[in-house]
DNA sequence: TGCACCAATCGCCATATAGCGATAGAGTAA
DNA sequence: TTACTCTATCGCTATATGGCGATTGGTGCA
């Protein structure tokens, strides 16, 4: 890996194939609703697996699996405490990502709505 | 803060399940290396499918399919020109997303390396 | 020790999708 | 028209992964 250079940010443009694959994996880690829910639930406070299982209304096995994914990519941190495992947000900047996406989505939907309103009494075209 | 203060950006915290699913889809659209390559190739200029196929060294069918995905989520725009279809970036802010991810990844790797360096004389693990 | 609880992992199934070759369809030039 | 080019789509296979129930492993308590 010839990855010296800037400490905190290589622009996407300069990424080689391997690094680009890592970026893709990073996005993939955020591409599951349940994982986003977990991040949401951890926004203000650390929680253990049982609490998350109850909050998210799904199986404990699933929560554990998704927490493992989030941990692997550095989104959350694990702290053992008795027989429990508490997870907390490791890097709050992940919310910047999500909020940025929300903003772009909102604008995308708005422009789509505008386009539909402007051009189409016969909607459905524009494929 | 349950108010929607900002017009164009609902914070992730306030999203209901459906919207959260959309955010996840958005991230998923960016979770394929080939799609990121396409966005990279379109960073400075519009290109048609044939050009992209050659640049990315993969099948034309794949390029078309991925372009359809990127179009569906509003990342690129299609312009027919003769028998060709030219694609260009629709919202340059997607690069903000990618660069943000790159920065977070870099920091993540750095802290991992530091952790390994502190605890492990056997380097090479790096991941 | 034995029991109770919690979390992580295993095996399995169902689904989604990236990739491929082949083909259809639209546009252009002869 | 016919022939050619370019793109989009179809059918298919292989792979990845989310979800589930069951199990294992670890910790604390009686």
């Amino acid at each position: 890996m010839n990855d010296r250079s800037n400490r905190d940010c290589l622009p996407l443009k300069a990424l080689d194939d391997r690094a680009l694959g890592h970026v893709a994996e990073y996005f993939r880690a955020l591409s599951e609703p349940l994982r986003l829910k977990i991040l949401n639930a951890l926004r203000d406070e650390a929680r253990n697996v049982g609490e998350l299982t109850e909050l998210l209304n799904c199986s404990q096995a699933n929560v554990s699996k998704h927490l493992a994914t989030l941990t692997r990519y550095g989104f959350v941190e694990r702290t053992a405490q008795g027989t429990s495992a508490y997870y907390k947000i490791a890097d709050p900047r992940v919310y910047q990502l999500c909020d940025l996406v929300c903003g772009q989505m909102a604008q995308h939907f708005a422009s789509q709505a505008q386009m539909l309103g402007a051009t189409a009494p016969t909607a459905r075209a524009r494929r």
Side-chain angles (χ1 to χ4, degrees), chain A residues 42 45-47 75-79 86-91:
Chain A
L42 297 179
E45 47 183 332
R47 294 184 190 275
F75 294 112
V76 301
E77 278 177 10
R78 180 184 188 275
T79 306
Y86 279 81
Y87 287 85
K88 66 168 187 175
I89 295 295
D91 186 350

Side-chain angles (χ1 to χ4, degrees), chain A residues 102-116:
Chain A
C102 292
Q104 296 187 15
M105 279 181 47
Q107 178 161 329
H108 178 216
F109 287 145
S111 67
Q112 272 197 336
Q114 180 184 346
M115 219 162 38
L116 289 174

Side-chain angles (χ1 to χ4, degrees), chain A residues 3-46:
Chain A
D3 70 331
R4 66 297 121 136
S5 62
N6 16 16
R7 277 194 309 282
D8 54 352
C9 177
L10 267 171
L12 181 62
K13 190 175 188 178
L15 294 181
D16 60 21
D17 283 4
R18 175 197 304 239
L20 200 135
H22 286 157
V23 175
E25 284 182 15
Y26 214 80
F27 279 123
R28 186 170 296 267
L30 295 174
S31 72
E32 271 302 309
L34 191 50
R35 285 198 284 270
L36 295 180
K37 279 191 191 181
I38 290 176
L39 293 177
N40 234 355
L42 297 179
R43 183 181 280 257
D44 294 323
E45 47 183 332

Side-chain angles (χ1 to χ4, degrees), chain A residues 36-76:
Chain A
L36 295 180
K37 279 191 191 181
I38 290 176
L39 293 177
N40 234 355
L42 297 179
R43 183 181 280 257
D44 294 323
E45 47 183 332
R47 294 184 190 275
N48 62 36
V49 178
E51 290 169 355
L52 289 171
T53 298
E54 189 176 4
L55 269 173
L56 306 179
N57 197 31
C58 66
S59 77
Q60 176 264 319
N62 255 337
V63 172
S64 271
K65 195 190 290 189
H66 285 306
L67 283 169
T69 300
L70 291 172
T71 304
R72 182 166 65 250
Y73 289 98
F75 294 112
V76 301

